[in-house]
Amino acid sequence: MEGCLNAYETNSLEMAVVVEFSIIPMGKGASVSRLIALAVKELEKRGVKHVTTPMCTIIEEESLEKALEYIRIAHEAVMRAGVERVITIIKVDDRRDVERSMEDKLKSLRRALEELGEA
């Protein structure tokens, strides 16, 4: 768990939407690393703050509109590689009552874990 907690450590944005997405290429065999790498490369080219895990990619953007645009670009990168069918699953955390980044959420989790350790 500690490795996952540290994976997000970068500079914070003031107000952010956090979006998790998984791109699932269909019909191209069991290994899809090369195809997912194309999607991640598109995010990197655009300077998108992201973390890629074994199961998904998480991005942080200033607006939902911008985040969804980057996901569309990643999705299309996989389609352009010759995949005939791609399923993309998206989960959105859009909290507007408080300024909070991915790092802030992890700090809150760390505090809760420390409190449990003291009990």
Side-chain angles (χ1 to χ4, degrees):
M1 177 98 176
E2 184 62 32
C4 290
L5 293 179
N6 291 332
Y8 297 101
E9 308 249 344
T10 60
N11 295 332
S12 296
L13 291 172
E14 288 300 316
M15 194 63 123
V17 59
V18 178
V19 183
E20 173 188 306
F21 68 100
S22 300
I23 297 176
I24 306 164
M26 304 294 291
K28 287 295 181 178
S31 178
V32 296
S33 298
R34 184 186 64 77
L35 296 167
I36 300 305
L38 294 170
V40 172
K41 196 64 157 171
E42 289 297 326
L43 299 176
E44 290 175 350
K45 284 196 298 192
R46 289 163 175 76
V48 177
K49 181 177 177 180
H50 72 283
V51 175
T52 299
T53 75
M55 299 295 291
C56 69
T57 297
I58 303 165
I59 64 174
E60 181 176 275
E61 266 306 320
E62 294 176 351
S63 72
L64 180 57
E65 180 181 13
K66 193 176 276 191
L68 292 173
E69 174 64 12
Y70 289 135
I71 293 168
R72 185 194 63 76
I73 289 167
H75 176 96
E76 289 296 330
V78 175
M79 293 298 294
R80 281 193 312 274
V83 177
E84 294 177 4
R85 184 177 183 186
V86 174
I87 297 171
T88 298
I89 301 167
I90 302 170
K91 291 197 304 190
V92 178
D93 181 354
D94 186 2
R95 184 171 178 185
R96 298 179 185 182
D97 64 327
V98 64
E99 293 180 1
R100 184 167 282 170
S101 67
M102 289 191 290
E103 294 82 13
D104 295 331
K105 291 177 182 197
L106 289 171
K107 287 176 189 174
S108 178
L109 175 58
R110 281 192 194 98
R111 280 193 300 276
L113 286 168
E114 288 171 6
E115 290 171 8
L116 287 175
E118 295 170 4

